[in-house]
Amino acid sequence: MKVRNFESADESAVIELWRRTGLLQNPLNDPAKDIAFCLAGGHGEILILEDDGKVVATAMVGQDGHRGWIYYVAVDPARQGQHLGQRIVSAAEARLKTQGVPKAHLMIRGSNTQVVGFYQRQGYRVEPITTMSRRLDGNALPVGHQMDDDPVIVTYLEMTARPALPQVVPKARNHALMGAHDITVGFYRYLYDAVGRPWYWTDRKKLSDEELAAIIQDQAVEIYVLYVGGAPAGFYELDARDESTVELAYFGIMPNYIGMGLGPYLLVQAIEMMWQKEPERVIVNTCTLDHPKALPLYQRMGFHPYDRREVPAPWQDPDNILDFA
Ligand SMILES: CC(C)(COP(=O)(O)OP(=O)(O)OC[C@H]1O[C@@H](n2cnc3c(N)ncnc32)[C@H](O)[C@@H]1OP(=O)(O)O)[C@@H](O)C(=O)NCCC(=O)NCCS
């Protein structure tokens, strides 16, 4: 197995790999043009991981005079999970290092959240950055063709007995968890957007201030805010309006605090509080747009899946408020 530079004879195999790994979602991205432009510009190169004469992984890497950028990371689906992704990303980073580039960046399509964990494993962090773009070639995507057509899968989980919970000590010192009693709509909207924006949380954005206040200021609904160094870093919301069941209605950490062990810590606190209410069961749901570690984390803490449903993605819902498409 070896890493080498792209040669023109690789073109059809590379494009086929990108197609099979779902990287060609945007009809305005012509992969053959992308390859030619990358190689002609002199700023970038396309790395190929070859095994037994076959292209098994790719990465496009280059620098813009300030930062390094990595695109088109793909591993043959039949060979995923064998550390080939790790190998091609390391090779791309090595090329940037030899050019003295101090920092590598990459972009992940909003609907491809499951790869966030892969990059975190390679040492990448989710940046608190909003990426903006404007086409300079006069082309525009028709509205409604901007995202994948895959349905979103919601998994419903429950627990019917208090679990044995692990002791979790977060890496972040200086943290405090406080109940936000009689929370204002403005503060709630801030928390909901700051935590949920990367994961397409939109349900609560559709409610008027009055409708939202009626839920979050209900005595049976409790919101707890996690602070790190005095600033909000995450929150959870418990809904005990149905007396026999407590729902963990929302739970999350803000992007720049992910990776500090705060998620497992916060979840343990939430589960303990839910069981203090002595319900018959506690429930939560998570969907395929959520952080890829959410479902395994809920299961590790004692939740069991009891139902699974397909729902349209937020960008397929004509009534949705997508202010970040
Ligand atoms: C993302 C992708 C490149 C990963 O390649 P891979 O060869 O399957 O991943 P690796 O085997 O190198 O994984 C390296 C490590 O990351 C972990 N990992 C891989 N995918 C993960 C995921 N989705 N979530 C969390 N961790 C993940 C692996 O468990 C492994 O951990 P370890 O070092 O503890 O063993 C591959 O799945 C792919 O081609 N996906 C489709 C294309 C794509 O979405 N590309 C990214 C565009 S931004």
Side-chain angles (χ1 to χ4, degrees):
M1 206 176 316
K2 63 173 180 192
V3 176
R4 61 168 175 81
N5 274 59
F6 173 93
E7 291 161 11
S8 52
D10 297 317
E11 183 168 306
S12 56
V14 165
I15 293 176
E16 183 47 30
L17 174 60
W18 292 352
R19 197 173 308 286
R20 277 190 294 133
T21 48
L23 295 183
L24 304 181
Q25 304 282 340
N26 183 340
L28 294 183
N29 285 352
D30 176 340
K33 269 194 193 160
D34 281 359
I35 292 172
F37 189 71
C38 169
L39 301 178
H43 288 285
E45 43 195 331
I46 298 166
L47 306 184
I48 304 286
L49 183 58
E50 181 188 305
D51 189 25
D52 208 11
K54 274 182 149 172
V55 175
V56 291
T58 63
M60 182 186 276
V61 57
Q63 56 121 336
D64 55 18
H66 179 55
R67 296 293 182 228
W69 285 92
I70 303 177
Y71 296 94
Y72 284 118
V73 172
V75 173
D76 182 342
R79 303 291 304 272
Q80 290 180 7
Q82 298 172 12
H83 292 105
L84 306 187
Q86 190 171 52
R87 189 151 165 194
I88 200 78
V89 169
S90 302
E93 289 169 355
R95 297 285 168 111
L96 294 174
K97 274 190 216 159
T98 59
Q99 297 169 52
V101 178
K103 191 178 179 203
H105 278 250
L106 53 90
M107 289 185 277
I108 299 176
R109 252 187 3 262
S111 54
N112 194 15
T113 49
Q114 69 267 24
V115 302
V116 172
F118 163 73
Y119 287 113
Q120 284 180 320
R121 194 74 193 82
Q122 317 312 313
Y124 286 73
R125 68 179 204 123
V126 178
E127 292 270 12
I129 290 175
T130 301
T131 302
M132 299 183 74
S133 71
R134 180 174 183 217
R135 290 210 73 101
L136 302 175
D137 56 7
N139 288 325
L141 264 186
V143 175
H145 289 265
Q146 299 185 358
M147 300 282 193
D148 305 350
D149 290 331
D150 293 349
V152 171
I153 296 164
V154 185
T155 304
Y156 296 83
L157 302 111
E158 67 177 355
M159 249 194 266
T160 49
R162 186 189 289 265
L165 290 168
Q167 278 273 347
V168 185
V169 182
K171 272 183 237 160
R173 286 193 212 133
N174 237 344
H175 62 271
L177 182 61
M178 285 199 262
H181 308 301
D182 297 322
I183 186 168
T184 61
V185 166
F187 185 43
Y188 182 88
R189 287 204 190 279
Y190 157 74
L191 291 174
Y192 185 86
D193 183 61
V195 170
R197 179 174 281 250
W199 319 110
Y200 296 94
W201 290 8
T202 50
D203 288 352
R204 291 276 162 96
K205 293 187 181 183
K206 292 184 211 167
L207 302 181
S208 68
D209 285 356
E210 293 72 25
E211 289 166 328
L212 185 55
I215 300 171
I216 62 176
Q217 291 165 5
D218 190 302
Q219 289 306 304
V221 173
E222 293 174 14
I223 291 148
Y224 289 84
V225 183
L226 176 69
Y227 293 85
V228 172
F235 81 103
Y236 61 80
E237 178 177 330
L238 308 183
D239 185 343
R241 286 177 293 175
D242 167 354
E243 276 177 20
S244 62
T245 303
V246 182
E247 180 175 12
L248 179 56
Y250 289 97
F251 168 84
I253 304 287
M254 294 179 190
N256 36 336
Y257 295 96
I258 288 176
M260 298 178 174
L262 292 165
Y265 163 77
L266 198 59
L267 188 56
V268 166
Q269 311 308 309
I271 293 172
E272 268 172 4
M273 280 187 203
M274 288 196 282
W275 281 110
Q276 276 165 18
K277 299 179 186 300
E278 304 189 336
E280 285 166 24
R281 64 171 198 153
V282 305
I283 57 172
V284 67
N285 70 65
T286 178
C287 76
T288 40
L289 297 174
D290 283 334
H291 192 290
K293 284 189 180 161
L295 179 57
L297 179 63
Y298 291 138
Q299 290 181 282
R300 216 166 70 225
M301 296 293 175
F303 281 102
H304 301 285
Y306 67 92
D307 200 4
R308 217 165 163 267
R309 271 183 230 160
E310 277 190 11
V311 296
W315 49 89
Q316 294 161 339
D317 174 356
D319 297 328
N320 215 326
I321 315 159
L322 255 193
D323 57 352
F324 45 81

